[in-house]
Amino acid sequence: MANDVDAILSQLTLEEKAALVTGDGFWHTTAIERLGIPAITLSDGPHGVRRQPPEQENGIGGSFPATCFPPAVGLASTWDAELVERIGAALGDESNALDVQVLLGPGVNIKRSPLCGRNFEYFSEDPLVAGELATELIRGIQSKGIGTSLKHFAANSQETDRFRVSADMDERTAREIYLAAFERAVKGAAPATVMAAYNKLNGAYATEDHWLLTDILRDEWGFDGVVVSDWGAVNDRDAAVAAGLDLEMPESEAGPAAIVAAVRGGSLDEAALDAAVRNVLDLVFDHAHLKADASRKLAVPDDMVNAHHALAREAASRAAVLLKNEGGILPLSPESSIAVIGEFARNPRYQGAGSSQIEPTRLDDALTEIRKVAGAPVTFAPGFTLDGGGDAGELLREAVAVASAAQVAVVFLGLPSAAESEGYDRENMDLPANQLAVLAEVVAANPNVVVVLSNGSAVRVSDWDAGVRAILEGWLLGQAGGGATADILFGVTNPSGRLAETIPVKLEDTSAYLDFPGRDGHLEYGDGVFVGYRWFDARQLPVSYPFGHGLSYTTFEYSGLSTSVEGEDADPSVHVSVTVTNTGHAAGREVVQVYVAAPSAEVRRPLNELRGFDVVPLEPGESREVSFTLGFRDFAYFHPTLKRWYVESGPVDILVGASSRDIREQGSVELRVSEPVVPLDRQSSLAEWTKHPGGAQVLAGLLQQAAAQNPDAVGMFQNEELMAMMGSMPLRRIGRFPGIGLTDEQVDGLIAQANAAV
Ligand code: BGC
């Protein structure tokens, strides 16, 4: 293919350039046949391929069958980088089979509130888990030549008013939490495209935000792919080009017209348009060779369907999280008499609603799969309907009857599809009342109740948890979730999922509770960096189940933590190793988590932050040493005044454990990093002067002079209480006091002297 981009660019008319940076229909880039520029296809994404048949390309509605893997909420709870990368490769293969060149995902927005209707499509409340797993998914997909679209850039953590709302936060919060997962994935996996979000960030539409799309994404992080708009996210097309948004999707008449008018009118520099055209051409030429021949039937081949269904089952069996297991009621004995209750057992909720909805190649339900594994007959009662209709009394009576006659009742509860979706948020964290009513009666009828949950985001369990013996949090497990659930219930697989989001006791405890979902077009991020476990830990709030938690049918012991520091100064590197032993009787997988705490930080920091994790498979009795290397960024915070990542010298605790609240081994290292000192200025306080090495010297000099002239002034500086009271006062203002009499010019001189001394 002739792809000399410079030569092509010189031959394009202004109108053609504007057309090239705008979609054709819902899912294609624009072809320009006279110059041999083909079109490529972009399609959702992210946990399966949603390729619409060519005659039905309307954005919504049906698509060709494709494997529905667990959505991000499920993938995240595997914490399993290797598995996620394999799923990525499978998605790449299916994209090729369905003639899709760019798969629209993954989404790495941070789960700030359990209410966000789209949490199922996002990984975690923690940017490391989100960024790391997204990196692996992108690597897997792109290993097959297929491009990805890292979305929704940025701060699209709620659906309410998503086309207009402004996410308002300080830069430290943005850098440490809401941009961090994007940064990791951009630097680690170079996604072919990044999707600019619908919302605004601090008042600027993400699609028009030069700071976000150019200064940070391209100039700082080195992104060199295409920035594509979320579908319909462009507000002012010419402003978007100037900010660094390359491709507007889908097709629009207004977009190209605005670009042409702005270039002709002189308000848009054609060079900015050329840069966007170049990026789009690179994307097209990098992927066009993968396009299917027009005569090829678009379908996932049968052998791939089978292999990927098995992979989806493996993923689902690693995603479900065993929250509690009182008295070891699980795994169930195949010989026990079991009653299965709950409509979800035969009518699974396995993915979320909206643009990511996949038409699965198959669909397993838990009831059929449980019956395949169980040795004794399994009774069933639906207990409730998903839409709340039907004869509630009769449904309840049936449920109680089967529950009373069985040794164990396995109750499938969850959020019906309409309860959470792209496009809107939930209003509360509760399971539907009709389901809770059935659960209460079943608990009264049988002391051995196991609950299996299907939900895309945390639900409240605290009001019924005490009455049940086990809870398996299934999240949304994709098309093979039914089989995976049966495998876990009977111990065919040992659960190894861990929570990538905290399960709070109640909604009122969550960090966004008072802000969500904003007012007057603004959503305050008043909780700052304190999101998820960072919040619950800082506020010392009880939680139902903490971040990182998940039980196994075996037990693990941690021992022999060792920590050492190398390469100090600008590039500290801390080696951490710990031995994990399987001390139980079943083979299992432990997710080892490393948290870092900097107790002496100058700014308020979270008590501890996840900085590493690894999945360790262990046979009974087996031990393994697990190692991690932590670097500069693992100890840094984003300095609000220096506007850069900053590490403070001092002690740092290294905490290794099985959840954010189950720390098993703890060590400490001393970091000595020479960082630039924040310069003093006219507003610097007395306390800042005394902490600043040059400032302290200058003050000492001043004191000596003062001692010579006015002994009272010295007294003031030696009076600790007075100094504490005056600590927040800028030196310049103290200088104006009677008897001190420093002019602004003199203060400027002292500032220059102090800053020059470091
Ligand atoms: C969603 C994106 C999706 C796009 C295309 C938008 O509504 O926010 O995630 O990729 O539609 O379907």
Side-chain angles (χ1 to χ4, degrees):
M1 179 127 357
N3 57 4
D4 181 341
V5 167
D6 284 322
I8 292 177
L9 197 64
S10 66
Q11 294 172 64
L12 287 165
T13 65
L14 178 59
E15 285 73 11
E16 284 171 334
K17 289 180 188 174
L20 258 179
V21 295
T22 314
D24 180 7
F26 265 93
W27 306 119
H28 311 282
T29 60
T30 298
I32 300 200
E33 277 162 24
R34 85 175 176 91
L35 294 172
I37 303 171
I40 59 166
T41 301
L42 302 84
S43 230
D44 288 305
H47 58 277
V49 183
R50 187 171 74 99
R51 174 72 207 261
Q52 297 199 292
E55 61 288 354
Q56 237 182 288
E57 290 189 350
N58 55 3
I60 41 165
S63 51
F64 289 117
T67 308
C68 177
F69 291 101
V73 62
L75 290 186
S77 27
T78 71
W79 295 57
D80 191 333
E82 182 275 335
L83 172 77
V84 171
E85 207 240 342
R86 268 193 289 141
I87 290 171
L91 289 168
D93 283 336
E94 293 199 18
S95 300
N96 273 317
L98 294 171
D99 196 22
V100 167
Q101 285 78 51
V102 176
L103 192 66
L104 299 174
V108 290
N109 296 104
I110 293 296
K111 300 186 195 200
R112 180 176 176 228
S113 166
L115 299 185
C116 173
R118 218 172 174 184
N119 275 355
F120 66 85
E121 224 180 306
Y122 300 142
F123 291 92
S124 180
E125 66 189 26
D126 179 83
L128 176 68
V129 176
E132 195 56 28
L133 296 181
T135 300
E136 296 303 328
L137 198 74
I138 293 168
R139 280 193 189 136
I141 297 170
Q142 296 199 164
S143 73
K144 302 292 179 172
I146 301 300
T148 52
S149 196
L150 185 65
K151 64 191 187 183
H152 307 91
F153 191 52
N156 186 181
S157 289
Q158 79 171 33
E159 291 297 281
T160 305
D161 204 20
R162 67 173 168 162
F163 292 95
R164 298 179 308 192
V165 75
S166 175
D168 294 343
M169 65 184 76
D170 58 68
E171 186 170 359
R172 180 178 164 217
T173 301
R175 298 282 197 152
E176 289 185 29
I177 304 289
Y178 295 95
L179 299 181
F182 289 97
E183 178 180 4
R184 181 169 281 269
V186 164
K187 290 180 174 171
T193 80
V194 166
M195 189 187 289
Y198 288 129
N199 53 285
K200 298 176 193 138
L201 178 59
N202 292 325
Y205 278 105
T207 51
E208 294 173 13
D209 189 342
H210 192 274
W211 176 79
L212 188 67
L213 302 185
T214 298
D215 300 349
I216 297 223
L217 179 63
R218 288 194 191 279
D219 298 349
E220 245 183 66
W221 300 348
F223 177 71
D224 68 354
V226 161
V227 178
V228 57
S229 71
D230 197 347
W231 269 231
V234 166
N235 173 53
D236 278 333
R237 184 58 178 117
D238 40 326
V241 174
L245 183 119
D246 302 307
L247 177 62
E248 174 178 13
M249 288 301 289
E251 181 174 333
S252 124
E253 270 182 37
I259 291 173
V260 169
V263 171
R264 294 240 160 85
S267 61
L268 176 65
D269 187 352
E270 193 162 353
L273 175 61
D274 286 352
V277 172
R278 245 177 237 284
N279 292 331
V280 171
L281 286 176
D282 284 341
L283 179 78
V284 168
F285 287 125
D286 283 350
H287 295 87
H289 64 284
L290 295 168
K291 279 166 65 76
D293 199 288
S295 61
R296 177 152 75 68
K297 180 173 179 277
L298 300 188
V300 178
D302 290 346
D303 55 342
M304 208 185 270
V305 167
N306 294 334
H308 289 179
H309 188 72
L311 178 58
R313 182 164 177 155
E314 184 187 349
S317 65
R318 291 193 191 172
V321 184
L322 183 59
L323 296 180
K324 79 183 265 191
N325 191 17
E326 228 173 67
I329 187 171
L330 293 179
L332 300 171
S333 151
E335 278 71 49
S336 314
S337 66
I338 295 167
V340 170
I341 295 163
E343 182 61 36
F344 289 112
R346 65 174 178 190
N347 192 353
R349 170 108 198 285
Y350 60 101
Q351 65 174 330
S355 61
S356 67
Q357 205 162 320
I358 305 305
E359 188 60 44
T361 56
R362 285 192 205 152
L363 185 55
D364 290 349
D365 66 88
L367 181 59
T368 308
E369 299 298 319
I370 287 172
R371 284 182 165 148
K372 282 188 199 160
V373 188
V378 172
T379 52
F380 172 71
F384 51 86
T385 58
L386 299 184
D387 63 5
D391 181 345
E394 183 50 27
L395 287 162
L396 186 63
R397 271 189 293 283
E398 270 173 42
V400 171
V402 294
S404 332
Q407 286 169 300
V408 180
V410 182
V411 186
F412 285 75
L413 305 175
L415 295 176
S417 176
E420 52 181 349
S421 166
E422 175 180 342
Y424 54 89
D425 296 313
R426 282 191 291 160
E427 280 172 11
N428 58 57
M429 262 182 67
D430 301 335
L431 286 171
N434 63 339
Q435 297 184 29
L436 292 178
V438 174
L439 179 66
E441 295 295 322
V442 169
V443 165
N446 189 322
N448 298 320
V449 174
V450 173
V451 168
V452 179
L453 290 173
S454 303
N455 45 301
S457 183
V459 293
R460 177 171 175 150
V461 301
S462 56
D463 42 0
W464 51 264
D465 187 335
V468 307
R469 289 191 53 192
I471 306 176
L472 182 65
E473 172 56 272
W475 300 118
L476 302 178
L477 292 177
Q479 68 178 45
T485 304
D487 287 346
I488 290 176
L489 290 175
F490 288 99
V492 179
T493 29
N494 188 352
S496 58
R498 300 290 185 268
L499 293 180
E501 61 198 89
T502 308
I503 302 189
V505 172
K506 56 188 192 304
L507 182 64
E508 291 80 355
D509 292 344
T510 57
S511 68
Y513 177 67
L514 291 175
D515 295 333
F516 195 93
R519 62 184 74 85
D520 303 329
H522 288 268
L523 172 62
E524 287 290 331
Y525 280 60
D527 42 351
V529 300
F530 296 91
V531 183
Y533 67 91
R534 289 166 167 83
W535 168 263
F536 298 112
D537 290 352
R539 301 300 312 266
Q540 297 186 352
L541 290 166
V543 299
S544 284
Y545 295 98
F547 176 80
H549 169 80
L551 302 176
S552 161
Y553 296 150
T554 190
T555 46
F556 301 99
E557 258 177 39
Y558 290 62
S559 60
L561 174 71
S562 95
T563 53
S564 61
V565 191
E566 259 175 41
E568 297 189 7
D569 272 355
D571 195 16
S573 164
V574 173
H575 299 287
V576 179
S577 69
V578 70
T579 300
V580 187
T581 306
N582 181 344
T583 49
H585 300 290
R589 303 165 69 80
E590 175 67 327
V591 179
V592 178
Q593 301 159 40
V594 179
Y595 296 85
V596 162
S600 63
E602 223 177 70
V603 297
R604 190 180 283 264
R605 293 184 75 177
L607 293 186
N608 53 49
E609 297 187 88
L610 185 77
R611 294 303 191 218
F613 61 90
D614 202 2
V615 181
V616 191
L618 291 167
E619 293 298 319
E622 190 185 353
S623 291
R624 272 197 208 188
E625 193 182 80
V626 198
S627 309
F628 302 86
T629 301
L630 308 179
F632 178 86
R633 276 291 290 273
D634 296 314
F635 304 106
Y637 61 89
F638 194 82
H639 198 290
T641 13
L642 288 175
K643 301 224 172 284
R644 56 177 288 261
W645 295 99
Y646 188 85
V647 172
E648 275 179 31
S649 293
V652 171
D653 294 335
I654 309 286
L655 314 160
V656 179
S659 87
S660 59
R661 292 199 174 176
D662 182 9
I663 299 303
R664 306 287 184 86
E665 290 277 284
Q666 182 159 351
S668 177
V669 292
E670 185 76 22
L671 293 181
R672 279 189 296 279
V673 183
S674 36
E675 279 284 21
V677 176
V678 183
L680 295 172
D681 59 28
R682 275 192 177 187
Q683 300 306 335
S684 298
S685 67
L686 187 58
E688 285 161 355
W689 274 83
T690 50
K691 269 201 212 144
H692 185 281
Q697 271 176 32
V698 170
L699 282 185
L702 274 184
L703 214 55
Q704 267 178 7
Q705 279 174 28
Q709 291 159 16
N710 177 359
D712 287 352
V714 178
M716 180 187 108
F717 280 102
Q718 284 167 345
N719 179 333
E720 270 179 35
E721 250 175 58
L722 191 62
M723 285 299 282
M725 189 189 89
M726 307 261 296
S728 61
M729 196 159 188
L731 185 72
R732 175 170 170 251
R733 310 256 193 103
I734 299 174
R736 293 181 179 181
F737 279 173
I740 298 186
L742 281 175
T743 64
D744 279 357
E745 290 64 34
Q746 284 170 317
V747 172
D748 288 344
L750 295 173
I751 292 170
Q753 206 183 322
N755 287 337
V758 290

